[in-house]
Amino acid sequence: MESILQTLHSWAQEAFAACGYDKSLAVVSPSDRADLCQFQCNGAFAGAKLYHKAPLAIAGEVAAELGKNPAFSSVQAMKPGFINMTLNDDYLLRCVNAIAKDEHLGVTQANPPATIVIDYGGPNVAKPLHIGHLRSAIIGESLKRLARATGNRVIGDVHLGDWGLQIGLVIAELEERNPDWDCFSPAFAQGGPVPTLDVDLLSEVYPLASKKSKTDPAFMEKAHRITYEMQNGRPGYVALWKEILRASVADLKQNYSKLGVDFDLWYGESDAEPYIPKLMEILGQKELLRESDGALVVDVAREDDKAPMPPVIVKKSDNSNIYATTDLATILQRQEEFAPNEIWYVVDKRQGLHFEQVFRCAHKAGLVPDDTKLSFLGFGTMNGPDGKPYKTRDGGVMRLSDLLETVRSAAARQIESSEFVAEEDKAQTAERIGIAAVKFGDLINHRSKDYIFDLDKFLSFEGKTGVYLLYTVTRVNSILKRAGVDPEKEVELKTVSSQSDRDLLLNILMTDNAFAHAMEEKAPNYICENAYQLAAAFSRFYNDHHILNEPDPVRKGSWIDLIVLTRRLLLKQLDILGIDAVDNM
Ligand code: ARG
């Protein structure tokens, strides 16, 4: 389906061309003066420079041409050269009814669809999930849903950090505590017995081992040796590693599922290991490897670089692999398995340089075709009220489960005495309100920006919050229920009878534009904004009309259908944000 802006754009192009002006001037946008018109085109200003003519003269000619189209109720040239457009109600109704009939509710589908791998989550095995992992999960999940909703084939990969020094540290500490475990004996053979571990133990061991490694060089060396031996297949370490992975992943799955985040692939850095020899071979063949202080590096700087671009290290002097090695090998693996058109990395923006190096190296070495887009979608930090990265009271890194628990209990307090929520639904409702608050509070900010975690604000029923959206959906549900209407009914709007009614139609029409914008920038905040605008337009409409008491059956039926459609769109937007609605609150 063509979006309203696309349609207006092509009409405006035709009008500019018919008046003898360049088509490219015809850019149409929603009006920034809603009191004057619905849409505007400012092309006459650029035209004035091109054709040495007054902008108002050009705008006048184009407006007269465009005004011949019966879809408009008015097209006006306004000083000093704007073209203001307003559609007539019949045309608005026709467009909105077409959206209601469309299986994608008017959201333009990619043609052809792209295959996109999204790398998000990025938790590290054996370390508990902390709030640093929250944004990647929330933003990545939303981008995955957005890319799917716009018709693409999308594969979400958690890309576990499961192969690095942190594993060596944990194993080293376990070995010091339990030297008698079979898996530590050099004679341990594959298939031998390994103790069952649980996450509580791991989350106690990791921070301790990490701390110890900083003051105890012998311990650090041991952890390095273990990491190296594990990566080179020593059976006892590999067996223990698999057990650490099992325990950790079970816990991660539980945490992510609480957040409403799920992955198609639970691959980790270790899954790229088999691709490292091939990677080194390609880099060697293309003569990209250079020795530097015993390490092997690839130069990725370009002449036009404004900032220094260090070479990327692919083998350290002790022959071990590092972060960049795994990321490059993972690209090879993804190319082989999915031949994606794009790979998106939803990672803390502080890792931007690493990814720039990796992408340049991948293209230079031809690991992916030239037109494969590798995109780093960096995100900012979630800060506390003091504007510094969010911490626990004692200044530590906060575990994700603790944060979610804080939010859940605040949401539970909020609905504790609510007469609208049945006692047996309170637990799930509180859970969902909490998640909605956290996710919307995050996603409403452009992903690249830092933001302040402000629970009171996030839980407010007013303003741009997830709670306001959930609340709006419950109001929509309640009115449909009172009207005895099946929310799945077919929609056919018949009339427009007020300004707030018309505004709601216009908001519905702008949904596709929000999806397109969000995809273009790979930023879900445009969906948040659009969902909020739709909810606010609904609230105005709802306040202005006595829907259930309306005596005119055509008008009442049309309003009901408008509400049914609004509900569908709100739910669709919430779904993109990864937010589940609640029945009552
Ligand atoms: N595990 C990494 C970290 O905690 C994030 C992984 C991001 N993805 C990647 N392909 N490197 O920083």
Side-chain angles (χ1 to χ4, degrees):
M1 232 184 111
E2 195 176 69
S3 78
I4 187 69
L5 281 181
Q6 282 167 324
T7 308
L8 291 171
H9 184 216
S10 40
W11 287 347
Q13 284 187 327
E14 284 164 24
F16 272 85
C19 300
Y21 301 117
D22 197 290
K23 284 203 302 197
S24 67
L25 297 168
V27 178
V28 177
S29 55
S31 160
D32 38 55
R33 285 288 305 272
D35 54 325
L36 295 180
C37 59
Q38 296 168 344
F39 300 93
Q40 66 186 61
C41 172
N42 304 346
F45 297 105
K49 292 203 187 88
L50 216 60
Y51 298 99
H52 308 292
K53 235 175 164 177
L56 192 59
I58 297 181
E61 291 167 49
V62 175
E65 179 63 28
L66 207 50
K68 293 179 191 162
N69 187 327
F72 292 109
S73 64
S74 104
V75 181
Q76 281 180 309
M78 297 290 282
K79 270 187 200 163
F82 299 106
I83 304 168
N84 289 356
M85 291 164 252
T86 296
L87 293 163
N88 67 42
D89 289 345
D90 280 344
Y91 188 76
L92 279 182
L93 284 171
R94 230 188 313 146
C95 294
V96 170
N97 282 325
I99 288 176
K101 299 227 156 29
D102 180 49
E103 61 171 316
H104 305 293
L105 293 177
V107 171
T108 303
Q109 301 295 293
N111 186 17
T115 298
I116 305 170
V117 173
I118 309 188
D119 180 318
Y120 70 109
N124 298 314
V125 163
K127 295 194 210 175
L129 275 183
H130 61 80
I131 52 161
H133 295 110
L134 184 69
R135 297 211 72 191
S136 181
I138 293 179
I139 299 166
E141 180 69 22
S142 176
L143 289 174
K144 182 185 74 181
R145 293 171 183 223
L146 174 70
R148 265 188 200 145
T150 48
N152 300 289
R153 171 177 180 243
V154 189
I155 302 127
D157 180 12
V158 67
H159 198 76
L160 298 170
D162 65 351
W163 202 227
L165 180 63
Q166 82 263 26
I167 308 282
L169 286 167
V170 170
I171 296 183
E173 175 64 21
L174 289 175
E175 186 164 358
E176 297 209 334
R177 293 186 191 187
N178 315 282
D180 53 328
W181 283 1
D182 287 340
C183 54
F184 295 128
S185 147
F188 181 90
Q190 220 175 340
V194 195
T196 306
L197 303 176
D198 68 53
V199 262
D200 290 337
L201 175 71
L202 293 179
S203 44
E204 181 229 310
V205 166
Y206 174 76
L208 216 124
S210 161
K211 211 163 158 190
K212 198 160 168 186
S213 70
K214 291 186 183 112
T215 51
D216 180 346
F219 182 77
M220 182 60 132
E221 207 183 301
K222 182 172 171 175
H224 272 295
R225 176 188 55 79
I226 292 175
T227 310
Y228 186 83
E229 288 185 6
M230 172 192 78
Q231 293 187 350
N232 287 283
R234 176 169 158 167
Y237 291 157
V238 171
L240 193 55
W241 165 69
K242 284 197 174 142
E243 175 54 20
I244 294 173
L245 202 62
R246 188 205 56 75
S248 240
V249 169
D251 179 64
L252 287 173
K253 284 195 172 163
Q254 211 178 5
N255 271 293
Y256 279 123
S257 121
K258 261 196 202 146
L259 255 185
V261 170
D262 82 299
F263 300 92
D264 304 297
L265 299 177
W266 280 83
Y267 284 177
E269 295 179 348
S270 66
D271 290 291
E273 182 79 7
Y275 291 81
I276 292 177
K278 186 169 168 203
L279 168 72
M280 297 311 293
E281 195 184 302
I282 297 174
L283 296 177
Q285 258 167 17
K286 304 230 156 142
E287 294 180 10
L288 295 174
L289 293 171
R290 174 169 70 81
E291 217 190 289
S292 165
D293 293 332
L296 287 175
V297 304
V298 175
D299 289 309
V300 289
R302 294 181 192 141
E303 261 172 28
D304 55 352
D305 279 336
K306 301 221 161 51
M309 178 58 63
V312 50
I313 304 173
V314 289
K315 280 272 177 214
K316 289 211 300 190
S317 52
D318 63 3
N319 204 30
S320 63
N321 302 315
I322 57 168
Y323 197 39
T325 328
T326 339
D327 266 323
L328 286 164
T330 305
I331 291 177
L332 264 185
Q333 180 187 16
R334 288 175 178 159
Q335 176 60 27
E336 191 174 297
E337 286 188 27
F338 308 108
N341 305 91
E342 306 190 25
I343 307 179
W344 298 356
Y345 294 82
V346 186
V347 184
D348 190 310
K349 68 181 175 194
R350 286 168 292 191
Q351 294 192 25
L353 177 64
H354 161 78
F355 282 99
E356 182 59 27
Q357 292 176 304
V358 165
F359 296 169
R360 286 186 183 198
C361 181
H363 278 300
K364 213 170 165 180
L367 306 184
V368 287
D370 285 344
D371 59 359
T372 301
K373 276 192 237 155
L374 302 174
S375 308
F376 174 66
L377 311 181
F379 54 79
T381 312
M382 180 177 112
N383 289 327
D386 56 355
K388 301 212 180 83
Y390 199 85
K391 290 271 180 326
T392 55
R393 276 215 189 119
D394 55 14
V397 178
M398 190 173 228
R399 286 173 74 158
L400 187 57
S401 49
D402 293 340
L403 179 87
L404 294 180
E405 178 47 29
T406 310
V407 178
R408 191 205 57 77
S409 61
R413 277 195 302 281
Q414 202 174 47
I415 56 161
E416 202 164 50
S417 53
S418 165
E419 52 189 291
F420 302 109
V421 190
E423 227 29 68
E424 66 271 22
D425 294 339
K426 279 193 172 151
Q428 191 194 51
T429 303
E431 194 95 37
R432 290 191 175 183
I433 291 177
I435 299 288
V438 170
K439 285 192 171 178
F440 196 93
D442 184 301
L443 293 170
I444 183 73
N445 308 286
H446 192 283
R447 60 171 161 72
S448 59
K449 300 241 157 60
D450 299 345
Y451 73 95
I452 288 178
F453 184 86
D454 181 343
L455 194 50
D456 290 339
K457 185 171 122 195
F458 293 176
L459 280 170
S460 163
F461 275 68
E462 277 157 44
K464 295 184 182 175
T465 68
V467 176
Y468 172 62
L469 288 182
L470 290 189
Y471 177 59
T472 306
V473 173
T474 63
R475 287 170 90 192
V476 169
N477 286 341
S478 129
I479 184 167
L480 292 178
K481 200 162 156 197
R482 279 183 285 138
V485 169
D486 173 8
E488 303 310 323
K489 82 182 282 289
E490 238 183 81
V491 165
E492 177 78 54
L493 308 194
K494 299 257 173 14
T495 89
V496 179
S497 28
S498 70
Q499 190 52 39
S500 56
D501 188 339
R502 194 173 290 116
D503 276 351
L504 186 50
L505 291 182
L506 266 176
N507 269 286
I508 290 174
L509 278 189
M510 293 318 293
T511 305
D512 184 31
N513 193 43
F515 275 68
H517 201 171
M519 266 305 270
E520 213 170 271
E521 285 187 33
K522 304 181 182 76
N525 57 305
Y526 300 106
I527 302 291
C528 289
E529 187 64 39
N530 183 248
Y532 170 76
Q533 294 301 344
L534 184 63
F538 169 80
S539 301
R540 288 190 298 271
F541 161 78
Y542 185 78
N543 289 337
D544 282 359
H545 303 287
H546 291 287
I547 296 156
L548 296 179
N549 300 333
E550 172 58 40
D552 177 345
V554 176
R555 185 179 276 186
K556 181 172 172 182
S558 196
W559 279 344
I560 295 278
D561 279 9
L562 180 55
I563 297 173
V564 169
L565 180 58
T566 302
R567 176 178 178 277
R568 268 175 219 164
L569 282 164
L570 280 173
L571 290 179
K572 184 174 179 115
Q573 288 159 329
L574 285 175
D575 181 59
I576 300 297
L577 304 175
I579 295 175
D580 289 322
V582 297
D583 291 331
N584 290 298
M585 62 194 279

